Amino acid sequence: MNEHQTCELPRASRGQLPDIRVSFEFFPPKTVAMEAMLWESINRLAPLGPSFMSVTYGAGGSTRERTHNTVARLAREGMVRPAAHLTCVGASRAEIDAIVQGYWDAGVRHVVALRGDPAAGLGAAFEPHPQGYKSSCDLVAGVRRIGDFEVSVSAYPERHPESVSIEADVAFLRAKQEAGATRAITQFFFENEIYLRFVERARAAGVTIPIVPGIMPMQNFKQTAGFARKAGASVPGWLADRFDGLDDDVDTRRLIAATVAAEQVLGLVDHGVRDFHFYTNNRADLVYAICRLLGLRPKGEQQKAA
Ligand code: FAD
């Protein structure tokens, strides 16, 4: 029996839960049907009172308009604080500055600043735009020059695929903090130990900003495992075993996905983690259930209970 096969539940699954803060990530919709699903999910999750909801920016800036429209609508509707992801890829500084200024003017005060994947695809060397921001640090500093934004950045507990070592990633995270980043959000991971060790190393190296774990509820195991391979996130054997043989059994897969993510977040709560960022894949149901397990309730319900 290994450590993952014990029957012990996380302590946080019993008794009084501490105050937990959550945030949710979405991607900009491509079609009318996807847009309807996105807003249904946003409307279901917003009453949980997340710290913010963020909208990703497609590779190479391919969703510039759609990201902007989704973030601007979130800002207009005023239900939650929106955050706009932005990368350095495929645009000059002047173009990126105009996008950031547009967000400021639309009332958006939070940018998730990333370098982005190389325009030639994963595995190719990153070539900055000749007049562009050269790195995520550079972009963080640029965003902070334009306005007093909250700036989140990425962190890679298992090493970014292009990085030479975890130490290099930690040093780079520290440099992003020095450039003005106010929060890091991690790439997803499935072994809590990996995250906890990374946070320990980052703290020892002088990183003081919050390092919020990115949680990926597995809507589709095979798809997520493929994405994890590219992103440098490991998929442990015990996790693959849990989904083994369920390719045609969506209902059981979803129950297992909810259980796995619930165990993960409650395990992190046991280790003192209070902030969670969920990769929603634009679907509310799993994330909503996990948030309830974390003790979050829709605003109306809290009032009824009070
Ligand atoms: P960085 O932090 O800039 O770099 C990653 C690592 O590479 C560093 O830790 C360092 O080890 C090494 N490195 C990079 N540049 C240098 C340098 N100049 N000198 C030394 N070492 C260096 N992609 C999108 O296209 N759109 C999104 O909306 C998006 N959102 C994301 C959100 C989160 C929370 C995360 C974790 C990732 C997201 N990504 C997104 C993916 C990201 O763009 C890719 O992983 C990209 O390859 C790296 O960009 P970065 O800002 O994460 O990396």
Side-chain angles (χ1 to χ4, degrees), residues 158 187-190 214-236 239-240 243 247 253-254 257 260-261 264 279-281 283 286:
E158 291 187 79
Q187 182 61 280
F188 63 87
F189 56 89
F190 298 109
I215 305 294
M216 173 77 88
M218 288 216 166
Q219 305 282 351
N220 179 326
F221 176 76
K222 281 207 162 148
Q223 210 176 55
T224 309
F227 180 53
R229 261 190 298 281
K230 288 191 206 141
S234 58
V235 178
L239 186 53
F243 287 96
D247 289 359
R253 261 191 357 237
R254 292 173 60 67
V260 166
Q264 179 173 23
Y279 296 108
T280 67
N281 209 16
R283 290 169 175 275
L286 283 188

